[in-house]
């Protein structure tokens, strides 16, 4: 138990559905992240929020829409996804966003396995 | 193009022996390196890290070695225990240009420690 929870753990959706992934951290952290891990690919950073402000968007398609209403919660809204978006999606948090010489350990949630039909 | 490569998808080691997991990188701007461990149905957890100004960092049974000239790092686990069976991810960091640091991960190596 890392203090980062994700719901749902499994999600199957059609290409025309709208769904959301939820992440909650109980660690008092101020930075939150979404990562994607496709089959046989490494973990890839999607979005970073620091003190509720989005600071990174790694060229993620607009069918993925993040939302960070407060420092404890992070959502990933999904709309008109493609089958190739099927993957494991991990949320992570850290004390704050990592800037030079102040490494902040990232704590990961257990992930959501998403299948797009 | 993968900047962090773990060329061995899997590794089997006898309990009590040394496990050596390897990682190569291509980006010379990377200046901080980490190893994460992942059990099934769980997220990755931080294991050990090393700054580019060092060539070795030790934490109990875990030691990470960095060879900057070869752009290579390795994780040594001595002695290996069955509970070490997991997927190990190598990660490296460099500034994203906006001043923040991002982690670039390898694909992972699945370690099996045989009792």
């Amino acid at each position: 138990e890392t203090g980062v929870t994700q719901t749902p753990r499994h999600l199957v959706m059609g290409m025309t559905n709208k769904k959301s992934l939820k992440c909650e951290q109980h660690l008092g952290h101020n930075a939150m992240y979404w990562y994607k891990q496709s089959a046989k690919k490494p973990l890839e950073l999607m979005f970073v929020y620091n003190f509720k402000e989005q600071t990174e968007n790694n060229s993620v398609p607009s069918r993925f829409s993040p939302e960070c209403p407060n420092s404890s919660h992070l959502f990933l809204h999904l709309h008109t996804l493609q089958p190739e978006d099927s993957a494991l999606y991990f949320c992570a948090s850290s004390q704050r966003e990592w800037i030079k010489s102040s490494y902040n350990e990232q704590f990961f949630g257990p992930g959501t396995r998403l299948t797009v039909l | 193009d993968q900047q962090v490569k773990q060329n061995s998808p899997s590794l089997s080691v006898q309990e009590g022996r040394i496990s050596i997991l390897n990682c190569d990188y291509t980006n010379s701007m990377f200046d901080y390196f980490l190893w994460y461990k992942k059990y099934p149905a769980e997220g990755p957890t931080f294991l050990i890290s090393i700054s580019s100004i060092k060539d070795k960092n030790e934490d109990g049974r875990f030691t990470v070695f960095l060879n900057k000239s070869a752009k290579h790092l390795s994780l040594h686990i001595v002695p290996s225990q069955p509970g070490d069976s997991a997927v190990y991810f190598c990660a490296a960091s460099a500034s994203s240009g906006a001043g923040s640091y991002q982690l670039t991960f390898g694909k992972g190596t699945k370690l099996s420690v045989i009792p």
Side-chain angles (χ1 to χ4, degrees), chain A residues 70-93:
Chain A
N70 55 61
S71 292
S72 298
H73 293 87
L74 184 66
F75 294 89
L76 187 63
H77 303 300
L78 314 171
H79 178 48
T80 59
L81 294 194
Q82 306 297 312
E84 58 265 29
D85 297 320
S86 299
L88 265 172
Y89 290 84
F90 290 100
C91 172
S93 72

Short mmCIF file of all heavy atoms in Angstrom, two decimals, chain A residues 70-93:
data_model
loop_
_atom_site.label_atom_id
_atom_site.label_comp_id
_atom_site.label_asym_id
_atom_site.label_seq_id
_atom_site.Cartn_x
_atom_site.Cartn_y
_atom_site.Cartn_z
N ASN A 70 -7.84 19.21 -6.87
CA ASN A 70 -7.07 19.56 -5.67
C ASN A 70 -5.83 18.68 -5.63
O ASN A 70 -5.69 17.77 -6.45
CB ASN A 70 -7.92 19.41 -4.40
CG ASN A 70 -8.52 18.03 -4.28
OD1 ASN A 70 -7.80 17.04 -4.21
ND2 ASN A 70 -9.86 17.96 -4.28
N SER A 71 -4.97 18.93 -4.69
CA SER A 71 -3.69 18.21 -4.67
C SER A 71 -3.82 16.74 -4.36
O SER A 71 -2.87 15.99 -4.56
CB SER A 71 -2.74 18.86 -3.66
OG SER A 71 -2.37 20.13 -4.07
N SER A 72 -4.98 16.31 -3.89
CA SER A 72 -5.14 14.91 -3.51
C SER A 72 -5.79 14.06 -4.59
O SER A 72 -5.74 12.83 -4.52
CB SER A 72 -6.00 14.79 -2.24
OG SER A 72 -5.38 15.43 -1.16
N HIS A 73 -6.41 14.71 -5.57
CA HIS A 73 -7.18 13.97 -6.57
C HIS A 73 -6.73 14.32 -7.98
O HIS A 73 -6.44 15.48 -8.30
CB HIS A 73 -8.67 14.27 -6.43
CG HIS A 73 -9.27 13.77 -5.17
ND1 HIS A 73 -9.26 14.50 -4.00
CD2 HIS A 73 -9.88 12.58 -4.89
CE1 HIS A 73 -9.85 13.80 -3.05
NE2 HIS A 73 -10.24 12.63 -3.55
N LEU A 74 -6.72 13.29 -8.80
CA LEU A 74 -6.36 13.46 -10.20
C LEU A 74 -7.26 12.56 -11.02
O LEU A 74 -7.49 11.40 -10.66
CB LEU A 74 -4.89 13.08 -10.42
CG LEU A 74 -4.31 13.28 -11.82
CD1 LEU A 74 -4.26 14.76 -12.18
CD2 LEU A 74 -2.91 12.68 -11.91
N PHE A 75 -7.79 13.11 -12.10
CA PHE A 75 -8.67 12.34 -12.98
C PHE A 75 -8.07 12.31 -14.38
O PHE A 75 -7.33 13.20 -14.79
CB PHE A 75 -10.06 12.98 -13.05
CG PHE A 75 -10.82 12.96 -11.76
CD1 PHE A 75 -10.69 14.00 -10.84
CD2 PHE A 75 -11.66 11.90 -11.45
CE1 PHE A 75 -11.38 13.98 -9.64
CE2 PHE A 75 -12.35 11.88 -10.25
CZ PHE A 75 -12.22 12.92 -9.35
N LEU A 76 -8.42 11.26 -15.10
CA LEU A 76 -8.09 11.19 -16.52
C LEU A 76 -9.38 10.86 -17.24
O LEU A 76 -9.91 9.76 -17.12
CB LEU A 76 -7.02 10.14 -16.79
CG LEU A 76 -6.49 10.10 -18.22
CD1 LEU A 76 -5.78 11.41 -18.57
CD2 LEU A 76 -5.51 8.93 -18.41
N HIS A 77 -9.92 11.87 -17.95
CA HIS A 77 -11.16 11.68 -18.67
C HIS A 77 -10.86 11.14 -20.06
O HIS A 77 -9.97 11.65 -20.76
CB HIS A 77 -11.92 13.02 -18.75
CG HIS A 77 -12.21 13.63 -17.42
ND1 HIS A 77 -12.97 13.00 -16.47
CD2 HIS A 77 -11.80 14.81 -16.88
CE1 HIS A 77 -13.05 13.76 -15.39
NE2 HIS A 77 -12.34 14.87 -15.62
N LEU A 78 -11.62 10.12 -20.43
CA LEU A 78 -11.36 9.39 -21.67
C LEU A 78 -12.55 9.54 -22.60
O LEU A 78 -13.71 9.34 -22.18
CB LEU A 78 -11.15 7.90 -21.35
CG LEU A 78 -10.22 7.58 -20.18
CD1 LEU A 78 -10.28 6.09 -19.85
CD2 LEU A 78 -8.80 8.04 -20.48
N HIS A 79 -12.29 9.87 -23.86
CA HIS A 79 -13.40 10.11 -24.80
C HIS A 79 -12.96 9.72 -26.20
O HIS A 79 -11.92 10.16 -26.67
CB HIS A 79 -13.80 11.59 -24.74
CG HIS A 79 -14.87 11.94 -25.71
ND1 HIS A 79 -16.03 11.20 -25.85
CD2 HIS A 79 -14.98 12.96 -26.60
CE1 HIS A 79 -16.80 11.76 -26.78
NE2 HIS A 79 -16.19 12.82 -27.25
N THR A 80 -13.78 8.90 -26.85
CA THR A 80 -13.51 8.41 -28.22
C THR A 80 -12.10 7.85 -28.36
O THR A 80 -11.32 8.25 -29.23
CB THR A 80 -13.75 9.50 -29.28
OG1 THR A 80 -12.91 10.62 -29.03
CG2 THR A 80 -15.18 9.92 -29.30
N LEU A 81 -11.80 6.91 -27.46
CA LEU A 81 -10.48 6.28 -27.51
C LEU A 81 -10.40 5.28 -28.66
O LEU A 81 -11.43 4.87 -29.24
CB LEU A 81 -10.19 5.57 -26.20
CG LEU A 81 -10.04 6.44 -24.95
CD1 LEU A 81 -9.43 5.64 -23.81
CD2 LEU A 81 -9.20 7.67 -25.22
N GLN A 82 -9.18 4.88 -28.97
CA GLN A 82 -8.90 3.92 -30.01
C GLN A 82 -8.41 2.61 -29.37
O GLN A 82 -7.90 2.64 -28.25
CB GLN A 82 -7.82 4.46 -30.95
CG GLN A 82 -8.13 5.82 -31.53
CD GLN A 82 -9.37 5.79 -32.40
OE1 GLN A 82 -9.50 4.91 -33.26
NE2 GLN A 82 -10.29 6.72 -32.20
N PRO A 83 -8.55 1.50 -30.07
CA PRO A 83 -8.05 0.24 -29.50
C PRO A 83 -6.58 0.30 -29.10
O PRO A 83 -6.19 -0.33 -28.10
CB PRO A 83 -8.28 -0.77 -30.63
CG PRO A 83 -9.47 -0.23 -31.38
CD PRO A 83 -9.30 1.27 -31.33
N GLU A 84 -5.78 1.08 -29.79
CA GLU A 84 -4.36 1.17 -29.43
C GLU A 84 -4.12 1.93 -28.13
O GLU A 84 -2.98 1.97 -27.63
CB GLU A 84 -3.54 1.81 -30.56
CG GLU A 84 -3.98 3.20 -30.95
CD GLU A 84 -4.93 3.20 -32.14
OE1 GLU A 84 -5.68 2.21 -32.33
OE2 GLU A 84 -4.93 4.20 -32.88
N ASP A 85 -5.17 2.52 -27.57
CA ASP A 85 -5.06 3.17 -26.27
C ASP A 85 -5.18 2.17 -25.13
O ASP A 85 -5.00 2.53 -23.95
CB ASP A 85 -6.12 4.25 -26.11
CG ASP A 85 -5.96 5.38 -27.12
OD1 ASP A 85 -4.80 5.77 -27.39
OD2 ASP A 85 -6.99 5.86 -27.63
N SER A 86 -5.49 0.94 -25.45
CA SER A 86 -5.54 -0.11 -24.43
C SER A 86 -4.16 -0.24 -23.80
O SER A 86 -3.15 -0.40 -24.50
CB SER A 86 -5.95 -1.45 -25.06
OG SER A 86 -7.24 -1.37 -25.63
N ALA A 87 -4.12 -0.14 -22.47
CA ALA A 87 -2.84 -0.13 -21.77
C ALA A 87 -3.09 -0.13 -20.27
O ALA A 87 -4.24 -0.08 -19.81
CB ALA A 87 -2.04 1.12 -22.15
N LEU A 88 -2.00 -0.16 -19.52
CA LEU A 88 -2.05 0.08 -18.08
C LEU A 88 -1.80 1.56 -17.84
O LEU A 88 -0.83 2.12 -18.39
CB LEU A 88 -0.95 -0.72 -17.37
CG LEU A 88 -1.28 -2.08 -16.78
CD1 LEU A 88 -0.01 -2.77 -16.31
CD2 LEU A 88 -2.27 -1.95 -15.63
N TYR A 89 -2.64 2.17 -17.04
CA TYR A 89 -2.47 3.58 -16.72
C TYR A 89 -2.17 3.71 -15.23
O TYR A 89 -2.94 3.27 -14.38
CB TYR A 89 -3.72 4.38 -17.10
CG TYR A 89 -3.88 4.47 -18.60
CD1 TYR A 89 -4.49 3.45 -19.32
CD2 TYR A 89 -3.38 5.57 -19.31
CE1 TYR A 89 -4.60 3.52 -20.70
CE2 TYR A 89 -3.49 5.64 -20.68
CZ TYR A 89 -4.10 4.61 -21.37
OH TYR A 89 -4.19 4.68 -22.74
N PHE A 90 -1.02 4.33 -14.96
CA PHE A 90 -0.59 4.50 -13.57
C PHE A 90 -0.66 5.97 -13.18
O PHE A 90 -0.28 6.86 -13.95
CB PHE A 90 0.86 4.03 -13.39
CG PHE A 90 1.05 2.54 -13.47
CD1 PHE A 90 1.51 1.96 -14.64
CD2 PHE A 90 0.77 1.74 -12.38
CE1 PHE A 90 1.69 0.59 -14.73
CE2 PHE A 90 0.96 0.36 -12.45
CZ PHE A 90 1.41 -0.21 -13.63
N CYS A 91 -1.10 6.17 -11.97
CA CYS A 91 -1.02 7.48 -11.34
C CYS A 91 0.14 7.44 -10.36
O CYS A 91 0.45 6.39 -9.79
CB CYS A 91 -2.34 7.75 -10.61
SG CYS A 91 -2.34 9.21 -9.58
N ALA A 92 0.79 8.57 -10.17
CA ALA A 92 1.86 8.66 -9.18
C ALA A 92 1.79 10.04 -8.52
O ALA A 92 1.18 10.97 -9.06
CB ALA A 92 3.23 8.45 -9.83
N SER A 93 2.41 10.13 -7.35
CA SER A 93 2.49 11.43 -6.70
C SER A 93 3.86 11.59 -6.07
O SER A 93 4.56 10.60 -5.81
CB SER A 93 1.40 11.59 -5.63
OG SER A 93 1.67 10.77 -4.49
#
